[in-house]
């Protein structure tokens, strides 16, 4: 059996599965219409996303949009949209950049999302209003064979870890995958072309004029040329995808699509790695704020960088850093050293400048050495404010730029040396930083 057939056998729906999905969509639709009947607003119900486009992988989420007349006020759209969603799914209300309800129906994940019913995608009232146009665009153009090519590419990206535009992944959206298949024809052509991508590449289907974008990959949205479909893709996911394509072209394998599960490293190899490198680990633990992933991850990343910048500002050399989010949040830093000497070389003005006097006055008293001259300038060994990375964070974290959900620092603990132990959560957090094997190498 060829590799691609094997992949499709595992992720493409068979007849029975299609029936299950279609039946579920039909009863969802009926339920929604029942609830809508009691409202006065004429709401149009539309199945969108990969189930509508027949590009879904087994266990898809079902995306249903409630299209409200343009004259509806935003507050009414939100309240009635959420009302319908809650009545049909139970489920929970979610707010990313727009409100919707997420829940389960017949064992499948469902999103019910209110939007405005536009006649033309150039006059958006909310970010989700394009979605029905995307769905229509793809349904009209993607042929049956290409739908399976989309599935192969989605599963490849899932396997290597770059599928999904959500902020946890910052990768390729389903719509972007479909456009790539339309642009290049099939899975293998996308892989071979992408292996030669460079940041700044600009793709489109119609060669339209458009504004300039400063993203690693630019794919002009055929239904709205003012938008880059790949705007959520980070440079990291973009480059990781390029590397994955190159490795796949060297030697194809099922592991790219279905990697083995990553087990946390044992304690011993972790110790050995650190011992061998001579580096030091610092872990910042925080309580996990009660937010949905799409709101949580940007804040985790912001906090990770904020603390890293503070360490760097105070002369600690950060070699690598990473985050690990489960029931708690860990920020992990690999440092050259946890401690710095008290003394720091402090440069003053050239000797011939008048206010050199002030420098001498201050540092004659406060210096760890007397001021001395180096290449015509005053220099002194001055005491540093922070000599311990841990102490810097514990006592000074408020002076770093933290994500708003972490400003209360709930559950803050800073761990170093022996305080980091072989418990499962510590091992998992450390592995997320130290285990650099690619998914297909596991
Ligand atoms: N969408 C949205 N809000 C949601 C869910 C979906 O705006 N809560 C929109 C997305 O922006 C996208 C479309 O609905 O344009 C479908 O989203 P998604 O499920 O992420 O992509 P699919 O094409 O359905 O791909 P997948 O197979 O991954 O589900
Ligand atoms: Mg979907």
């Amino acid at each position: 059996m060829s590799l691609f057939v094997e992949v499709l056998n595992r992720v493409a729906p068979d007849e029975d599965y299609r029936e299950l999905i279609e039946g579920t969509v039909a009863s969802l639709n009926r339920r929604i219409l029942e609830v809508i009947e009691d409202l006065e607003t004429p709401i149009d119900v539309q199945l969108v996303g990969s189930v509508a486009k027949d590009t879904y992988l087994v266990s898809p989420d079902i995306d249903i949009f409630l299209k409200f007349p343009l004259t509806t006020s935003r507050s009414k759209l939100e309240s009635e949209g959420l009302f319908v969603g809650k009545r049909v799914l139970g489920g929970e209300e979610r707010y990313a950049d727009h409100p919707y309800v997420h829940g389960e129906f017949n064992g499948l994940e469902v999103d019910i999302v209110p939007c405005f019913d536009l006649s033309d995608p150039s006059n958006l009232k909310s970010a989700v209003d394009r979605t029905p146009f995307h769905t229509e665009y793809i349904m009209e153009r993607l042929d049956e064979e290409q739908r399976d090519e989309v599935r192969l590419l989605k599963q490849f990206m899932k396997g290597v870890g770059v599928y999904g535009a959500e902020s946890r992944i910052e990768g390729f959206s389903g719509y972007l995958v479909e456009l790539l298949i339309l642009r290049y024809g099939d899975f293998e052509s996308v892989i071979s072309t992408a292996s030669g991508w460079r940041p700044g590449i600009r793709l489109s289907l119609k060669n339209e004029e458009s504004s300039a974008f400063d993203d690693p990959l630019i794919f002009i949205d055929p239904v709205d040329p003012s938008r880059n479909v790949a705007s959520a893709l980070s440079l990291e996911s973009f480059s990781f995808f390029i590397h994955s394509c190159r490795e796949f072209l060297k030697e194809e394998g099922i592991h790219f699509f279905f990697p083995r599960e990553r087990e946390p490293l044992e304690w011993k190899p972790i110790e050995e790695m650190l011992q061998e490198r001579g580096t030091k680990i610092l872990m910042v633990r925080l309580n996990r704020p009660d937010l949905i992933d799409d709101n949580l991850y940007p804040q985790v990343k912001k906090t990770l960088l904020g603390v890293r910048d503070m360490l760097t500002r105070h002369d600690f050399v950060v070699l690598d850093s990473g985050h690990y989010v489960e029931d708690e949040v860990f920020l992990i830093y690999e440092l050259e050293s946890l401690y710095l000497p008290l003394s720091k070389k402090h440069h003053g003005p050239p000797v011939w400048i008048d206010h050199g006097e002030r420098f001498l006055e201050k540092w004659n008293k406060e210096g760890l050495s007397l001021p001395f001259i180096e290449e015509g300038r005053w220099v002194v060994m001055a005491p540093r404010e922070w000599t311990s990375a841990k102490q810097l964070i514990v006592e000074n974290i408020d002076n770093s730029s933290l994500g708003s959900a972490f400003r209360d620092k709930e559950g803050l603990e800073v761990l170093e040396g022996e305080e980091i132990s072989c418990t499962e959560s510590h091992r998992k957090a450390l592995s997320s930083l130290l285990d650099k094997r690619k998914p297909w190498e596991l």
Side-chain angles (χ1 to χ4, degrees), residues 365-378:
K365 281 186 269 159
E366 295 172 26
L368 295 169
S369 71
L370 286 174
F372 56 97
I373 299 170
E374 198 179 83
E375 292 182 9
R377 291 179 72 160
W378 286 113

Side-chain angles (χ1 to χ4, degrees), residues 367-434:
L368 295 169
S369 71
L370 286 174
F372 56 97
I373 299 170
E374 198 179 83
E375 292 182 9
R377 291 179 72 160
W378 286 113
V379 178
V380 70
M381 294 300 170
R384 278 176 207 284
E385 205 178 348
W386 305 98
T387 56
S388 145
K390 171 172 172 168
Q391 203 184 4
L392 168 63
I393 297 177
V394 172
E395 291 176 24
N396 201 41
I397 195 167
D398 288 330
N399 290 319
S400 60
S401 91
L402 304 176
S404 55
F406 292 104
R407 277 196 206 125
D408 59 14
K409 300 167 288 178
E410 251 189 74
L412 173 71
E413 271 181 82
V414 183
L415 309 165
E416 59 167 46
E418 306 279 293
E419 296 156 349
I420 301 172
S421 65
C422 55
T423 57
E424 178 158 284
S425 65
H426 285 187
R427 274 197 298 123
K428 282 184 174 168
L430 287 170
S431 302
S432 74
L433 187 78
L434 299 174

